[in-house]
Amino acid sequence: MMDAPVVVIVVFLLQVSISESLLIVQTTQPDPVVHVGSEVLLQCSFTVTSGAIDVKQLTVTWIQYALTVAKYDQEDLIERPRLSLNAEGMKSGNASLLIRSVHFDDGGQYRCIVQHKRKEGDVDIYVSVRATPQVSIKLETNLSLSEGVVTCEAVSFYPRAISFNITRKGETLKTERLTSDQSPSRWRLPDGSFSARSVYTFDASDIRNSRDTMSCEVTHASVDQPITVSTKPGVPVVSLVGTAVLLHASQVVCCAKNFYPSKVVFTWRRSEEVIKSETPQASRTPTGTFTAESSLEFIPDSREPVSCQVEHMTGASERKYVTNACDSGRLAAQLMDVLRKVEALASESTKEQAVEDMCRRCREQLDSLRSAITATD
């Protein structure tokens, strides 16, 4: 006696639920990925295998983490802000849920439940919310410690896992992966996104007299390719502003522009004697470089030149000398004063004595004038 044939029927169903073969609920996108701020349509459709859809006997419920977020109940709509169902689409089996202006808390597990004429079916959808990090790199120095610091920062990203790779001329200096829940290098922002940074410390002499490019590469789930930002040291451009007038109280400003990173040292000298040294707070320009200045108040003397030297962590050093101006009006007034005194002296003294005094005073004034003119050449 022959064995009866065995028939095996295998039915593959992806994200499909069938209730007594009369109601089929399904989705074509079980795992949508959406960026924060955009909108997403959670696709859910249903088919009635016998007869037409009767909206008066139809209930569609959307649940997120066991909480009802939207519902269509026999032509009545219940929706939360930013969430909406298509009432007209229900007639053709469209139970999709539209989420506008996606927030971080919109991510997670959803369930679309359809009830029609006492039949029920459902399908699960998992929404992944992404936010692309804003990445920046900063190069700083501590001149007193001869130390340099590269800081790579990623701001407002989601989800939390992120990786940093800091390089110089393509050579890896540091790699850091932040994946665990707790990390001192990462913190959560009030809007639910994350920020993180990776810091690399080095000997400032490593890049002294160097213009090597330093880069930071950030890898995150929100982007297909790593995000790369770069920076390199910039040498300061030095100039002097102001007028130094011989024998007058004067002020001159020493300016340093277009340098990076932000620390420079200003040193003022009279001849070779240091009279002032400071590291003022630098200001960032729109181009990302820095500018700083130092001022000096003094009385110029033609015999002792005044200079300003600017030193930067790149090893760059530039020294500018103050140019003294001659106050010709003041000197002319002094000479006229001498002549008036000589005329008065000539009327009171002998001719010989008047001539002798006049010559002496004129020689003194001429020597002063000659020195002033020589200093301004």
Side-chain angles (χ1 to χ4, degrees):
M1 183 175 179
M2 296 180 61
D3 294 335
V6 177
V7 179
V8 179
I9 300 176
V10 180
V11 179
F12 292 94
L13 297 176
L14 177 62
Q15 294 292 333
V16 176
S17 176
I18 304 178
S19 178
E20 298 182 7
S21 301
L22 294 177
L23 180 64
I24 301 174
V25 183
Q26 61 184 0
T27 182
T28 57
Q29 290 186 319
D31 301 296
V33 176
V34 58
H35 278 71
V36 66
S38 61
E39 65 178 36
V40 60
L41 183 66
L42 306 188
Q43 297 187 15
C44 176
S45 62
F46 61 94
T47 303
V48 177
T49 59
S50 61
I53 298 174
D54 184 358
V55 294
K56 293 184 177 181
Q57 299 185 64
L58 174 65
T59 300
V60 174
T61 306
W62 278 90
I63 294 176
Q64 180 195 24
Y65 295 125
L67 296 176
T68 299
V69 294
K71 189 173 184 177
Y72 176 92
D73 188 6
Q74 301 178 19
E75 300 185 295
D76 291 331
L77 280 175
I78 302 173
E79 302 165 331
R80 283 189 177 183
R82 300 184 297 106
L83 278 62
S84 62
L85 295 169
N86 185 350
E88 189 65 26
M90 297 293 178
K91 299 176 182 179
S92 58
N94 180 10
S96 299
L97 176 67
L98 177 64
I99 305 176
R100 294 179 299 273
S101 186
V102 170
H103 294 178
F104 294 108
D105 55 9
D106 290 327
Q109 189 79 32
Y110 288 79
R111 176 166 291 177
C112 173
I113 304 172
V114 180
Q115 297 168 304
H116 184 258
K117 295 181 179 179
R118 293 177 296 179
K119 310 300 180 184
E120 181 175 315
D122 61 68
V123 65
D124 288 336
I125 298 174
Y126 190 88
V127 178
S128 297
V129 177
R130 300 280 187 264
T132 301
Q134 302 173 32
V135 182
S136 63
I137 186 171
K138 182 169 59 177
L139 180 61
E140 298 176 296
T141 55
N142 186 329
L143 297 176
S144 63
L145 299 177
S146 298
E147 184 178 83
V149 178
V150 178
T151 302
C152 184
E153 189 166 75
V155 179
S156 299
F157 60 88
Y158 193 90
R160 63 165 58 89
I162 196 166
S163 296
F164 296 90
N165 187 40
I166 299 175
T167 65
R168 183 173 68 222
K169 292 194 302 183
E171 178 184 353
T172 297
L173 302 175
K174 180 181 181 181
T175 298
E176 186 172 9
R177 296 179 177 86
L178 305 177
T179 56
S180 62
D181 291 342
Q182 300 296 325
S183 173
S185 299
R186 181 183 55 216
W187 58 97
R188 192 150 198 170
L189 300 178
D191 65 359
S193 65
F194 293 90
S195 288
R197 67 167 62 99
S198 182
V199 179
Y200 174 73
T201 303
F202 60 94
D203 189 327
S205 63
D206 290 347
I207 62 171
R208 190 171 293 277
N209 301 315
S210 170
R211 306 294 180 268
D212 293 343
T213 297
M214 306 192 79
S215 301
C216 176
E217 185 179 89
V218 173
T219 302
H220 187 254
S222 63
V223 289
D224 296 331
Q225 299 293 328
I227 301 172
T228 301
V229 292
S230 301
T231 187
K232 64 179 180 180
V235 175
V237 177
V238 181
S239 62
L240 295 176
V241 179
T243 302
V245 181
L246 283 170
L247 307 178
H248 276 220
S250 305
Q251 182 181 55
V252 175
V253 179
C254 188
C255 302
K257 298 181 178 180
N258 300 331
F259 58 90
Y260 186 85
S262 62
K263 295 293 180 64
V264 288
V265 177
F266 291 85
T267 303
W268 290 90
R269 291 181 175 88
R270 187 187 298 275
S271 293
E272 294 305 317
E273 178 189 358
V274 175
I275 54 178
K276 182 180 181 180
S277 181
E278 65 175 342
T279 305
Q281 183 69 38
S283 300
R284 183 182 286 272
T285 69
T287 61
T289 60
F290 289 87
T291 180
E293 61 183 38
S294 174
S295 63
L296 180 69
E297 295 182 357
F298 63 107
I299 298 177
D301 187 326
S302 61
R303 294 168 297 179
E304 295 182 320
V306 173
S307 64
C308 173
Q309 183 174 6
V310 177
E311 297 173 281
H312 189 244
M313 62 84 62
T314 56
S317 178
E318 186 173 357
R319 187 173 181 180
K320 293 281 188 179
Y321 284 85
V322 175
T323 300
N324 296 325
C326 173
D327 188 346
S328 57
R330 180 173 181 270
L331 289 175
Q334 289 178 337
L335 289 175
M336 289 298 296
D337 183 58
V338 170
L339 289 176
R340 284 194 296 269
K341 290 180 179 179
V342 168
E343 291 175 354
L345 185 63
S347 63
E348 298 174 0
S349 306
T350 64
K351 182 177 181 180
E352 291 79 11
Q353 182 66 39
V355 170
E356 182 180 347
D357 289 342
M358 179 181 67
C359 290
R360 177 175 58 80
R361 291 176 179 270
C362 284
R363 279 196 297 270
E364 292 175 355
Q365 294 301 321
L366 287 173
D367 287 342
S368 177
L369 180 60
R370 187 181 297 111
S371 297
I373 294 174
T374 300
T376 57
D377 288 341

